[in-house]
């Protein structure tokens, strides 16, 4: 597609519920990144894929967070047993080459109640 | 590790010039980015500096000094639509991750 697409745009989850956030990167983009952005803060790195390989997951805040990109295109970020502190905007970004800037999706705003 | 500092908020007047500073400490440096983010929207790419000096792109310019760990974004002829957050981000040469600062919220007054 023309841009990075994320769905859903908004998600309200009850505490303890599992959620899955989807990211469709730009076609042909090799690198895919997930960021978490709290209100009024900059994006915080979560994890990074190159094709289907997850090269870095050091930013995932707990083992309740899991990301996959099984065929090297679409990626899913899953959060199990959501907590209120998980409320944030989750941004996905992709790039064509290692030395390119990122193109961001519009994000998924997750609210845990 | 990396540390990126930029002012939390700035205010400027329509038609004026504003400079947003960013300082960074990093174990490995491979480029500095500036992104613009309007409230509720995704960050959009503004500029990329990897060598020292000034890069000019229309009303926006970005400067880098690697020896000082310092960059600035210069916005000229400010317009109301420039009201946004401006994110400074540094790429780590060891793993190519891009790490963001907390952003500077720029308010433009008429």
């Amino acid at each position: 597609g023309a841009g990075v697409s994320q769905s859903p745009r908004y998600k309200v989850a009850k505490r303890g519920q599992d959620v899955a956030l989807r990211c469709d990167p730009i076609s042909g983009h090799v690198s895919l990144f997930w960021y978490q952005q709290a209100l009024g803060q900059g994006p915080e790195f979560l994890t990074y894929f190159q094709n289907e390989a997850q090269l870095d997951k050091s930013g995932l805040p707990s083992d309740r967070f899991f990301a996959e990109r099984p065929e090297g295109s679409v990626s899913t970020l899953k959060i199990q047993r959501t907590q209120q502190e998980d409320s944030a905007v989750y941004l996905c970004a992709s790039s064509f080459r290692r030395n390119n800037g990122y193109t961001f999706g519009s994000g998924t705003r997750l609210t845990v109640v | 590790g990396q540390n990126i500092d930029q002012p939390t908020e700035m205010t400027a007047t329509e038609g004026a010039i504003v400079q947003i500073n960013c300082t960074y400490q990093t174990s490995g440096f491979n480029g500095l980015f500036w992104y613009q983010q309007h409230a509720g929207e995704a960050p959009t790419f503004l500029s990329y500096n990897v060598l020292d000096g000034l890069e000019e792109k229309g009303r926006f310019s970005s400067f880098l000094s690697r020896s000082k760990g310092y960059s600035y974004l210069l916005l000229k002829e400010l317009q109301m639509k420039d009201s946004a957050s401006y994110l400074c981000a540094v790429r780590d040469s060891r793993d190519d991750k891009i790490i963001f600062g907390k952003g500077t919220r720029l308010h433009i007054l008429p």
Side-chain angles (χ1 to χ4, degrees), chain A residues 21-42:
Chain A
L21 312 180
R22 176 186 169 105
C23 173
D24 258 293
I26 293 173
S27 179
H29 276 199
V30 169
S31 301
L32 185 146
F33 306 82
W34 284 98
Y35 285 82
Q36 180 191 60
Q37 187 173 26
L39 192 64
Q41 301 294 313

Side-chain angles (χ1 to χ4, degrees), chain A residues 89-110:
Chain A
V89 174
Y90 291 85
L91 293 166
C92 176
S94 68
S95 70
F96 179 56
R97 292 195 191 93
R98 289 175 64 186
N99 285 331
N100 281 29
Y102 301 175
T103 301
F104 280 87
S106 297
T108 294
R109 181 177 298 277
L110 173 66

Side-chain angles (χ1 to χ4, degrees), chain A residues 14-87:
Chain A
K14 291 184 178 178
R15 193 171 54 182
Q17 185 180 351
D18 297 351
V19 298
L21 312 180
R22 176 186 169 105
C23 173
D24 258 293
I26 293 173
S27 179
H29 276 199
V30 169
S31 301
L32 185 146
F33 306 82
W34 284 98
Y35 285 82
Q36 180 191 60
Q37 187 173 26
L39 192 64
Q41 301 294 313
E44 296 275 349
F45 172 83
L46 293 177
T47 186
Y48 159 51
F49 291 85
Q50 191 158 318
N51 296 306
E52 68 277 3
Q54 189 174 20
L55 299 186
D56 189 332
K57 55 182 181 179
S58 61
L60 295 177
S62 77
D63 58 8
R64 297 186 294 104
F65 286 70
F66 172 76
E68 59 183 6
R69 193 186 186 197
E71 296 177 358
S73 57
V74 171
S75 177
T76 304
L77 176 67
K78 298 179 179 177
I79 309 173
Q80 296 176 322
R81 305 182 302 281
T82 51
Q83 306 289 320
Q84 281 193 313
E85 63 262 27
D86 300 335
S87 296

Side-chain angles (χ1 to χ4, degrees), chain A residues 9 35 37 40-43 45 48 56 58 91 98-102 104-106 109, chain B residues 30 33 35 37 40 42-43 45 48 87 91 95-103 105:
Chain A
R9 187 78 171 89
Y35 285 82
Q37 187 173 26
Q41 301 294 313
F45 172 83
Y48 159 51
D56 189 332
S58 61
L91 293 166
R98 289 175 64 186
N99 285 331
N100 281 29
Y102 301 175
F104 280 87
S106 297
R109 181 177 298 277
Chain B
N30 190 21
F33 297 82
Y35 279 80
Q37 187 176 27
F45 171 82
Y48 173 60
L87 301 165
R91 191 202 305 274
D95 55 17
D96 285 339
K97 269 186 336 200
I98 297 180
I99 304 300
F100 286 82
K102 295 187 187 302
R105 279 193 302 280

